[in-house]
Amino acid sequence: MNQDHIEPLPQIDELDEKILKLITKNARIPFLEVARECGVSGAAIHQRVQRLLNLGVVSGSEFIVNPAKLGYNTCAYMGVYLEKAKYHSQVAKALREIPEVVECHYTTGQYAIFVKIQTKTNKHLKKLIDEAFQEIEGIARTETFISLEMDFKRQVAIK
């Protein structure tokens, strides 16, 4: 998002908030159940959700894969130091080519880029660091943190 031009926030009313709370808790909830909970028609819910999609308040729905169930037992975060700031785009493009990199953020502070990595083992992570990350032109050095356990993850609060 370009900080120079901040778009006005869409108008969200109490019904929109209630719908958002229900559908973010369970993306597979039938619209008729949402309608019953909200005391309005199924058509009204369909229109409201479509409006929220069009406004960009929500986007699609997805199934969340549990990495551990597929053998990805190591979650790590890596701070990336760049040789020069101008390398940001090319480094991000190279990181996108590494399937184990599941998130990439351009940041302020100590690191220029901060990534989340899912690997099968610590040895898999070490191999990635040695063979993939260290080969990316523009990376000066990296600092890696292994997550021992995720205590919680949530979406932004709906009022």
Side-chain angles (χ1 to χ4, degrees), residues 68-115:
K69 297 290 184 183
L70 296 178
Y72 289 86
N73 296 304
T74 298
C75 173
Y77 295 88
M78 178 184 285
V80 178
Y81 295 87
L82 297 178
E83 290 173 7
K84 294 182 179 177
K86 72 177 185 176
Y87 290 123
H88 163 254
S89 294
Q90 80 181 47
V91 169
K93 185 176 180 185
L95 291 170
R96 184 181 295 275
E97 298 301 315
I98 302 171
E100 294 87 350
V101 175
V102 296
E103 287 184 32
C104 179
H105 302 267
Y106 190 36
T107 61
T108 62
Q110 190 171 359
Y111 312 109
I113 297 175
F114 202 73
V115 297

Side-chain angles (χ1 to χ4, degrees), residues 1 5 8 25 31 35 38-41 44 52 59 61 72 77-78 94 101 123 146-148 150 152:
M1 179 181 204
H5 176 71
K25 195 179 299 178
F31 281 178
C38 295
V40 297
S41 71
L52 292 169
S59 58
S61 61
Y72 289 86
Y77 295 88
M78 178 184 285
V101 175
K123 189 173 184 175
I146 293 177
S147 171
L148 299 175
M150 178 173 54
F152 67 88

Side-chain angles (χ1 to χ4, degrees), residues 108-141:
T108 62
Q110 190 171 359
Y111 312 109
I113 297 175
F114 202 73
V115 297
K116 180 178 179 182
I117 308 161
Q118 291 284 170
T119 59
K120 295 194 179 237
T121 62
N122 289 356
K123 189 173 184 175
H124 179 189
L125 175 63
K126 182 185 179 311
K127 185 177 179 182
L128 257 180
I129 292 168
D130 292 346
E131 296 177 11
F133 290 96
Q134 297 303 320
E135 296 301 315
I136 298 173
E137 187 179 339
I139 292 181
R141 65 186 174 98

